[in-house]
Amino acid sequence: MTTLIHRLALALLLAAPAAQAQLLPLDVSISGDTADVRIGPALSPLADLQLDFDDSTGLSAASLGLNAQLVTVSAPALLARLPSGLVSVPTDLPLMITVEPPTLGGLAFERRVHVEVHTHALPYTAGSRLRLFKAPLGGAFRDITSAVEPGSVRTRGTTGGFSQFVVALDLRPTDAVVAQKIQFLRDQAALLAASEQAPLVAMIDGIEDAVAVEDFAAANALLDAMRSRVSARAGTHIPDDWRATRDVANIAGELLSGLDTLAFSIGYLRDYGP
């Protein structure tokens, strides 16, 4: 019944003039380091968004620069931003959420933002291929999922920055997804000084080797070790700040977020295969 109500509400929104470009109503509440956002009509919201910051300053509805809109899931411009033809935005939740803090809005945070998109518009199944994707404004989307849980569907991920999010169905081989997430960690580590880069690259190599022989316990142990090292050195040897002025690089946040989503995909590979 809940899913039917959301489908009817979505149909009404899509039937409105210029529906694909319209911004959906948002209700934003802030408490401490957490922003809760209801997206869509008050009586039948399409989704709820939660942003939980590790440590923020200047957090407000205005400083987040939030909006949400319906998208045409078959639009070439959107398809070009997704990783491959095996990734698609569901027609039951054709929703793009943008978090683009204004430059002078005063928002800053350290390390990560924990992102959750909760919707009753999609059904949950064990081993779900629904994922949370993130992109820079107008750029390419990548999978940042750290959990997919029931209720009806809760997709969770973490990020060291912003700005656009979609829930998408990802039918790519999981081993290929793991390989891409390992490469993301390599790209982030490459931004550091050689003395910081070398031990992280050694751990990444170890994770890759362990996954290749399906030694998932060893891979997870190395993930934990790398997470501990990045956390311990964040803010001193590894930059961990994000500011709305975009004048610093939050490398620690991106590394920690990359480890979060890699751990999810390695677990999925272990439990459900490639």
Side-chain angles (χ1 to χ4, degrees):
M1 178 62 72
T2 301
T3 301
L4 177 59
I5 292 172
H6 281 82
R7 285 178 178 172
L8 290 172
L10 178 60
L12 290 172
L13 287 169
L14 290 172
Q20 304 304 327
Q22 73 176 4
L23 298 181
L24 299 176
L26 302 178
D27 180 67
V28 184
S29 62
I30 307 293
S31 177
D33 287 320
T34 301
D36 289 296
V37 185
R38 186 188 67 217
I39 301 169
L43 296 180
S44 56
L46 291 181
D48 295 296
L49 169 71
Q50 184 176 86
L51 302 172
D52 188 14
F53 293 76
D54 282 347
D55 186 10
S56 68
T57 57
L59 177 60
S60 68
S63 70
L64 282 168
L66 282 161
N67 71 64
Q69 66 185 99
L70 301 177
V71 296
T72 303
V73 300
S74 59
L78 175 62
L79 296 176
R81 298 176 62 190
L82 297 170
S84 78
L86 297 175
V87 180
S88 60
V89 174
T91 56
D92 284 345
L93 191 70
L95 176 68
M96 183 182 297
I97 303 165
T98 298
V99 186
E100 185 66 8
T103 303
L104 301 180
L107 180 63
F109 67 88
E110 293 180 356
R111 303 192 186 189
R112 291 170 298 180
V113 184
H114 303 256
V115 182
E116 177 184 282
V117 177
H118 171 220
T119 181
H120 292 290
L122 301 171
Y124 173 82
T125 56
S128 173
R129 288 278 188 165
L130 291 171
R131 301 290 184 263
L132 180 62
F133 279 75
K134 174 217 163 183
L137 193 65
F141 282 99
R142 64 180 178 86
D143 176 13
I144 64 164
T145 312
S146 61
V148 181
E149 298 176 351
S152 294
V153 169
R154 296 179 185 271
T155 55
R156 295 189 175 111
T158 59
T159 177
F162 295 115
S163 57
Q164 292 184 306
F165 302 92
V166 296
V167 175
L169 183 66
D170 189 352
L171 300 179
R172 294 175 296 166
T174 305
D175 51 358
V177 174
V178 168
Q180 289 184 7
K181 292 182 178 183
I182 288 174
Q183 184 58 52
F184 176 81
L185 290 175
R186 293 189 186 281
D187 293 343
Q188 294 302 309
L191 301 175
L192 298 171
S195 59
E196 287 298 321
Q197 184 180 149
L200 297 182
V201 169
M203 292 178 186
I204 295 169
D205 289 343
I207 293 167
E208 188 171 46
D209 292 343
V211 171
V213 297
E214 299 185 355
D215 189 347
F216 300 118
N220 284 323
L222 284 165
L223 280 165
D224 288 342
M226 185 170 169
R227 188 181 288 112
S228 294
R229 180 179 177 86
V230 172
S231 295
R233 300 178 75 77
T236 52
H237 299 87
I238 302 177
D240 70 343
D241 291 320
W242 186 95
R243 295 195 289 257
T245 48
R246 278 79 163 177
D247 58 337
V248 290
N250 183 9
I251 301 174
E254 296 293 1
L255 283 169
L256 291 170
S257 298
L259 289 165
D260 290 341
T261 192
L262 177 58
F264 170 81
S265 291
I266 288 176
Y268 194 92
L269 181 64
R270 176 196 62 212
D271 296 340
Y272 297 100

